[in-house]
Amino acid sequence: MKLADKILAVSLKQETLDVPEWDAKIGIREMTVEQRLKFGEDAKKWPAVAMARLVIASTFDPATGKPIFEPAHHDAIMNMPGAVIDRVVTEICRISGLGSDAAEAAEKN
């Protein structure tokens, strides 16, 4: 196996997150390069939009591996309790190597 093939075969990090407010355990996945760039751009202009898009893109049902939300859920996510979405976004940022600074910047703007 070539080194490039070995590196390109590495999967995105995934974790399970307990969300008591939803009475559920959800899967979260680290962001791809494209998602990180988009999140950063969106967070500067539309922080709430960035958070909703990230939740749609990076959460999944751990039992099936399928996405929990679809783009059509965007407006509903925007109207959910902020504390829950903040926590989910913070955890996605953490496993993506962004730390809490990126999530806090999105929350403050």
Side-chain angles (χ1 to χ4, degrees), residues 14 26-27 29 56-69:
Q14 297 181 0
I26 65 169
R29 181 177 295 115
I56 292 167
S58 298
T59 59
F60 63 94
D61 180 340
T64 65
K66 294 183 179 182
I68 297 170
F69 302 108

Side-chain angles (χ1 to χ4, degrees), residues 98-109:
L98 294 178
S100 62
D101 292 345
E104 288 174 11
E107 292 167 17
K108 288 180 183 176
N109 290 322

Side-chain angles (χ1 to χ4, degrees), residues 74-96:
H74 182 272
D75 290 345
I77 292 169
M78 295 279 286
N79 288 303
M80 295 181 82
V84 178
I85 299 302
D86 287 348
R87 191 169 67 255
V88 173
V89 167
T90 298
E91 290 301 310
I92 294 167
C93 287
R94 180 188 56 76
I95 68 168
S96 297

